[in-house]
Amino acid sequence: MSINDHKLVRCNEKDKETLSIFKKGINDSYGLISTWSTEKDCCAWKGVSCDNITNRVTKLDLTSLPYFDLKFPTYFKTLTGEINMCILELEFLSYLDLSNNDFDVISFTTIQHNITHASNLFYLDLSNNFVPSTLQMDNLDWLSPLSSLKYLNLSGIDLHKVTNWLQAVNTLPSLLELQLSRCYLNNFIINPSIQYSNLSSLLTLDLSANNLTSQLPNWFFNLTKDLTELMLPENNIHGEIPSSLLNLQNLRYLDLSYNKLQGSIPDEISQLANIQHLGLEYNMLSGSNIPSTLENLSSLNYLSIGRNNFSGEISENTFSKLSNLDFLDLSSSNFVFQFNLDWVPPFQLSYLHLENTNQGPNFPSWIYTQKSLQSLDLSSSGISLVDKNKFSSLIERISIALYLSNNSFTGGLPNISPNAFSVDFSYNSFSGSIPHSWKNSKDLQSINLWNNKLSGEVLEHVSDWKQLGILNLGENEFSGTIPIKMSQNLEVLILRANQFEGTIPTQLFNQSSLFHLDLAHNKLSGSMPECIYNLTDMVTFTWQDSFEHVGSIELFTKGQEYYIPKLFINRKTIDLSANNLSGKVPLELFQLVQLQTLNLSHNNFIGTIPRTIGGMKLIESLDLSNNKLSGEIPQSLALLSFIEVLNLSCNNFLGKIPIGTQLQSFNVSSYIGNPYLCGAPLNNCTTKEENHKSTENEVDGSIRESLYLGMGVGFAAGFWGICGSLFLIRKWRHAYYRFVDGVGDKLYVTLMVKLNSFRRN
């Protein structure tokens, strides 16, 4: 008898049956709810909570909530399969959270049409299941019995077929918080005959990242007077900000960013005395009335109005009453900044974004007074002059992200905070080597030093950055060999256009997370490592998320440079061009089937293109030009339907270019410099060119035939040299017979002696 048999089973059988039906649709590959099979008492199952008195199930929490660390976001393993809404039949259920899993189906097939038992439910969260979302709902009529519901989050579920979503949630008289972000909701639709009084208690409304393309209607701000949080970013809302917004006098959080709003910010917005968070960035707002509009919002701690069309002066008067300000974003604006050199702001910022503004040539002196900065972005702001002592002190304090790219900074790189995890000093004129103190920044996740005048070796630094995911040292004068020890988290490595020499270390092809490798334009030599390429992210599909805190990066692909701000990378690339590499290209390289760009041009590679290249179905850019490759172009190359850039020129390829929709679409420049290559788009194959392959084959065949013939002749000559002589010369023949008779006699005598000896014993 097991220990479990002695435990008190207090779970209600009806509740247990409902939970068991719910579990049938779940795929639990990681054993996250293994206790549902090993424990008899369902109140002891993972995620299940029961009332201590009634023993009825009151709470089901199976969220696989990601652990968000600003520096190292990680994701727990999740449940998959079906959400069976029979779970709402749990009579005393008050809390249901199935968020942040990978469910891809939601089923109402077994649920009763009238869910009377769900009247106790006050918290329901089905959000963030599967990215991109495949969860769909055709209607929200099932919500109507949930009269006690206060919190509803369906974010990430496809509701594009639900045209009456507003009417559906209006049936929930207790609703305080409604989150419907990324639900593919269409324009605001309202039935004027319906009274929306049930929404009067709503405090939080999140409709971000939908397909709302209309203007903001005035009635929308009359639904509730008590709203404290309104989130409408990442839609296509256009028109002006309506004055009816001022009806929301209790508003603390307003986010209208990433839309197409026009006009100016209403002066009346200063009447929202409780506003703490104001996000209006990435719109088409204009005007120069910012000072009078915002200077009275004394509760404001977050102000983001960058990337609009504002103009006019901005001075210390704008911020004189904003003593609570913690986050300030004025980036990509045409403001004329008129701050006194001795101005000391009334606030201490944690985040400051002034990229793409005209701050220079002097570093803004008021920023030196900010003692709590965690993130500073002054990229492309025209700065060239700094107070060295104050500047060094400031930089060493910034503990998260530091972006100073596209300015005119000179001298050596500054020391950085030991807690820093992202630095971008690209496109400046920094010189010298990487400071030794950078070794102490163990948490560095991203380094971008592209296009400076830096030099020296980097070996001693790289091995200390255990968390590094992105390393961009391109367009400098770094030398030495490529470091052998690197972070196992490395995803992007760019060493392009430096003075690195030696061979490519084998360890580099054992970086399972690496998906962008650029070693082009160096002095690397030797052959490529012949080993198992454990570049997992180049073999199997993985979702590459965006990195919001790693600055920008330069990717060379398809023969040109792509500049990607706030890095969103899904380009899987290997670029080893313009080195002195030689030998055969390992077959393992052509097994990286997720590669989109492969550039091996301007080296000394030999050998042929393997047939397995046809398995690289996602390849978009392939450059093998200016090598010593030979043989035919394999027919499988014609199967690469996504290829947009192809260059096989200046090699020793021969025969006819395979016929396929892609290969004939490229111009002559993709194939020139191969004297024995023919077929469209080159000239039609002549008899000479067509016969070159057969000539090659004939030569090969002649060699083989000569070899076999030589072996045959040699055998015959040896055979007749001996046997023929015995046959023709009588003395030799008699001597041969006497020799054979003598050997036979000796064998006979030896055998008889041994036999007699054996018998005597």
Side-chain angles (χ1 to χ4, degrees):
M1 184 176 294
S2 67
I3 298 175
N4 289 338
D5 292 335
H6 295 288
K7 291 182 179 179
L8 177 64
V9 177
R10 58 192 183 98
C11 177
N12 179 273
E13 281 298 321
K14 187 177 180 181
D15 289 352
K16 184 176 182 180
E17 181 182 356
T18 302
L19 288 169
S20 298
I21 294 173
F22 172 74
K23 182 182 182 295
K24 287 181 180 178
I26 298 177
N27 298 321
D28 182 21
S29 302
Y30 305 108
L32 301 178
I33 54 173
S34 57
T35 53
W36 288 39
S37 301
T38 59
E39 294 282 352
K40 286 188 174 182
D41 183 9
C42 74
C43 292
W45 291 357
K46 179 176 175 60
V48 177
S49 300
C50 297
D51 185 270
N52 290 329
I53 298 175
T54 65
N55 295 328
R56 301 300 297 270
V57 174
T58 59
K59 181 178 180 179
L60 178 60
D61 186 354
L62 293 179
T63 180
S64 294
L65 185 66
Y67 171 67
F68 280 110
D69 185 304
L70 189 58
K71 297 180 178 179
F72 314 117
T74 57
Y75 296 84
F76 295 151
K77 296 173 181 177
T78 56
L79 302 171
T80 62
E82 175 188 81
I83 297 178
N84 191 330
M85 294 303 286
C86 72
I87 201 67
L88 293 180
E89 294 179 0
L90 289 171
E91 190 173 352
F92 290 90
L93 187 68
S94 60
Y95 186 103
L96 176 60
D97 190 347
L98 303 176
S99 63
N100 296 290
N101 284 288
D102 281 343
F103 293 116
D104 56 4
V105 176
I106 189 164
S107 172
F108 292 88
T109 54
T110 61
I111 195 172
Q112 297 178 4
H113 291 292
N114 184 18
I115 318 172
T116 55
H117 296 319
S119 59
N120 292 310
L121 194 68
F122 75 86
Y123 185 101
L124 176 58
D125 191 346
L126 305 179
S127 66
N128 300 326
N129 273 287
F130 203 83
V131 179
S133 176
T134 58
L135 272 179
Q136 295 187 25
M137 289 186 187
D138 294 342
N139 67 77
L140 295 177
D141 297 339
W142 56 275
L143 288 174
S144 57
L146 310 181
S147 57
S148 298
L149 203 61
K150 295 183 178 180
Y151 178 96
L152 175 62
N153 191 344
L154 302 179
S155 296
I157 297 177
D158 187 347
L159 302 178
H160 80 276
K161 293 183 180 180
V162 183
T163 58
N164 65 334
W165 61 271
L166 197 56
Q167 291 92 315
V169 298
N170 187 50
T171 63
L172 306 174
S174 303
L175 197 62
L176 299 177
E177 184 168 340
L178 176 62
Q179 298 200 41
L180 297 177
S181 67
R182 294 174 289 105
C183 289
Y184 302 97
L185 295 175
N186 295 307
N187 292 341
F188 297 101
I189 299 174
I190 189 170
N191 188 337
S193 63
I194 298 177
Q195 297 296 318
Y196 291 90
S197 57
N198 281 343
L199 296 177
S200 60
S201 299
L202 201 62
L203 299 178
T204 298
L205 178 59
D206 183 358
L207 300 177
S208 58
N210 280 291
N211 295 325
L212 305 176
T213 58
S214 65
Q215 298 185 19
L216 285 171
N218 283 314
W219 56 260
F220 186 75
F221 300 103
N222 293 323
L223 293 176
T224 172
K225 302 291 186 183
D226 297 326
L227 201 67
T228 59
E229 296 183 66
L230 176 59
M231 289 156 276
L232 295 171
E234 297 181 63
N235 285 285
N236 287 304
I237 301 171
H238 58 272
E240 297 187 353
I241 299 174
S243 58
S244 55
L245 176 66
L246 304 177
N247 294 335
L248 307 177
Q249 289 293 311
N250 294 321
L251 205 60
R252 293 189 177 90
Y253 190 108
L254 176 62
D255 191 348
L256 300 176
S257 61
Y258 293 88
N259 280 288
K260 296 180 179 178
L261 293 170
Q262 297 172 306
S264 59
I265 300 175
D267 286 334
E268 294 82 5
I269 203 170
S270 60
Q271 299 175 23
L272 299 177
N274 298 311
I275 195 79
Q276 298 174 4
H277 181 113
L278 180 59
L280 299 175
E281 74 271 18
Y282 283 100
N283 276 286
M284 299 161 60
L285 297 168
S286 58
S288 57
N289 61 338
I290 301 301
S292 61
T293 303
L294 302 177
E295 62 185 14
N296 292 320
L297 300 179
S298 57
S299 298
L300 208 59
N301 59 40
Y302 181 105
L303 176 61
S304 182
I305 58 175
R307 294 172 179 84
N308 280 285
N309 298 320
F310 295 122
S311 59
E313 285 189 3
I314 236 180
S315 68
E316 57 264 29
N317 293 332
T318 310
F319 304 99
S320 60
K321 298 179 182 178
L322 305 185
S323 58
N324 293 308
L325 204 60
D326 180 70
F327 183 106
L328 178 61
D329 183 353
L330 303 175
S331 57
S332 297
S333 57
N334 295 316
F335 290 124
V336 177
F337 293 86
Q338 297 286 354
F339 295 115
N340 288 328
L341 293 178
D342 57 353
W343 177 55
V344 178
F347 49 73
Q348 284 291 320
L349 298 174
S350 297
Y351 299 87
L352 175 59
H353 296 269
L354 295 174
E355 66 268 27
N356 294 305
T357 59
N358 186 10
Q359 300 292 326
N362 290 296
F363 192 93
S365 58
W366 68 270
I367 299 179
Y368 292 137
T369 69
Q370 301 301 293
K371 308 296 184 183
S372 303
L373 272 180
Q374 299 179 50
S375 178
L376 174 64
D377 193 341
L378 281 171
S379 54
S380 301
S381 56
I383 298 175
S384 59
L385 303 174
V386 299
D387 182 314
K388 289 187 177 180
N389 292 331
K390 292 181 179 179
F391 179 74
S392 297
S393 178
L394 173 71
I395 299 305
E396 288 188 59
R397 292 197 301 266
I398 296 173
S399 58
I400 295 181
L402 179 61
Y403 308 136
L404 300 177
S405 65
N406 290 274
N407 283 288
S408 299
F409 290 108
T410 58
L413 288 171
N415 295 325
I416 58 176
S417 166
N419 299 317
F421 82 95
S422 180
V423 293
D424 185 352
F425 294 153
S426 61
Y427 291 102
N428 280 287
S429 296
F430 287 113
S431 58
S433 59
I434 298 175
H436 186 78
S437 63
W438 282 34
K439 292 183 65 175
N440 300 323
S441 302
K442 306 291 186 183
D443 294 339
L444 274 171
Q445 179 183 341
S446 172
I447 299 174
N448 189 353
L449 301 178
W450 175 273
N451 201 339
N452 278 279
K453 299 177 181 178
L454 298 165
S455 58
E457 298 188 8
V458 295
L459 175 61
E460 60 176 322
H461 300 89
V462 174
S463 59
D464 290 296
W465 297 324
K466 306 292 187 185
Q467 307 299 333
L468 199 64
I470 297 170
L471 179 60
N472 185 356
L473 305 180
E475 294 282 357
N476 280 285
E477 299 170 12
F478 289 114
S479 59
T481 58
I482 296 177
I484 295 176
K485 292 183 179 180
M486 292 194 185
S487 164
Q488 287 301 307
N489 297 315
L490 199 64
E491 297 179 334
V492 176
L493 176 62
I494 301 175
L495 304 180
R496 186 184 189 93
N498 279 283
Q499 303 294 320
F500 289 106
E501 55 188 5
T503 59
I504 302 175
T506 302
Q507 293 84 346
L508 194 57
F509 293 93
N510 198 34
Q511 300 283 143
S512 60
S513 299
L514 189 67
F515 62 84
H516 188 92
L517 174 63
D518 188 347
L519 307 179
H521 293 269
N522 278 285
K523 297 179 179 179
L524 301 173
S525 59
S527 59
M528 290 184 63
E530 293 187 7
C531 62
I532 297 175
Y533 285 13
N534 190 28
L535 301 169
T536 307
D537 277 7
M538 295 189 190
V539 178
T540 58
F541 173 78
T542 52
W543 181 264
Q544 302 300 339
D545 207 347
S546 59
F547 297 82
E548 286 297 327
H549 300 281
V550 297
S552 55
I553 202 165
E554 296 70 25
L555 302 181
F556 283 80
T557 181
K558 299 183 183 179
Q560 57 185 305
E561 178 181 357
Y562 286 82
Y563 178 77
I564 304 181
K566 298 301 181 187
L567 180 65
F568 181 90
I569 292 183
N570 58 4
R571 302 297 315 170
K572 301 194 175 183
T573 299
I574 292 181
D575 191 344
L576 306 178
S577 62
N579 281 286
N580 296 312
L581 299 170
S582 58
K584 292 185 177 180
V585 181
L587 288 175
E588 289 81 4
L589 186 65
F590 296 97
Q591 294 172 2
L592 304 178
V593 294
Q594 292 292 322
L595 264 185
Q596 294 162 290
T597 296
L598 176 61
N599 191 346
L600 304 179
S601 66
H602 295 273
N603 281 289
N604 296 303
F605 288 118
I606 60 173
T608 61
I609 302 176
R611 295 189 186 93
T612 53
I613 196 172
M616 304 177 76
K617 302 292 187 183
L618 301 181
I619 199 80
E620 298 175 11
S621 178
L622 176 64
D623 192 346
L624 304 178
S625 64
N626 291 276
N627 279 286
K628 299 176 182 178
L629 298 170
S630 58
E632 290 186 288
I633 298 174
Q635 182 64 43
S636 60
L637 193 64
L639 302 176
L640 304 179
S641 56
F642 288 104
I643 196 163
E644 298 177 14
V645 175
L646 177 66
N647 194 347
L648 304 179
S649 65
C650 301
N651 279 285
N652 297 313
F653 293 121
L654 57 85
K656 189 174 183 179
I657 297 171
I659 297 176
T661 55
Q662 293 295 105
L663 299 187
Q664 274 65 51
S665 66
F666 299 107
N667 60 36
V668 172
S669 63
S670 293
Y671 302 102
I672 59 173
N674 293 283
Y676 296 103
L677 194 62
C678 59
L682 298 177
N683 295 329
N684 290 331
C685 296
T686 63
T687 303
K688 177 182 177 181
E689 289 165 330
E690 284 182 331
N691 288 338
H692 183 78
K693 180 190 169 186
S694 60
T695 302
E696 291 280 324
N697 290 336
E698 288 175 6
V699 170
D700 291 342
S702 298
I703 293 173
R704 286 194 297 271
E705 289 175 4
S706 299
L707 176 62
Y708 297 148
L709 181 60
M711 291 172 63
V713 170
F715 176 80
F719 177 83
W720 285 109
I722 296 174
C723 297
S725 299
L726 293 175
F727 180 77
L728 296 174
I729 304 174
R730 184 168 58 180
K731 290 183 178 180
W732 284 24
R733 187 165 62 250
H734 289 170
Y736 173 73
Y737 290 151
R738 286 196 299 273
F739 172 79
V740 171
D741 287 341
V743 171
D745 291 340
K746 288 181 180 179
L747 288 175
Y748 175 78
V749 171
T750 302
L751 179 61
M752 294 306 294
V753 170
K754 293 290 184 181
L755 184 59
N756 290 331
S757 176
F758 176 77
R759 285 175 178 174
R760 285 195 301 271
N761 291 333

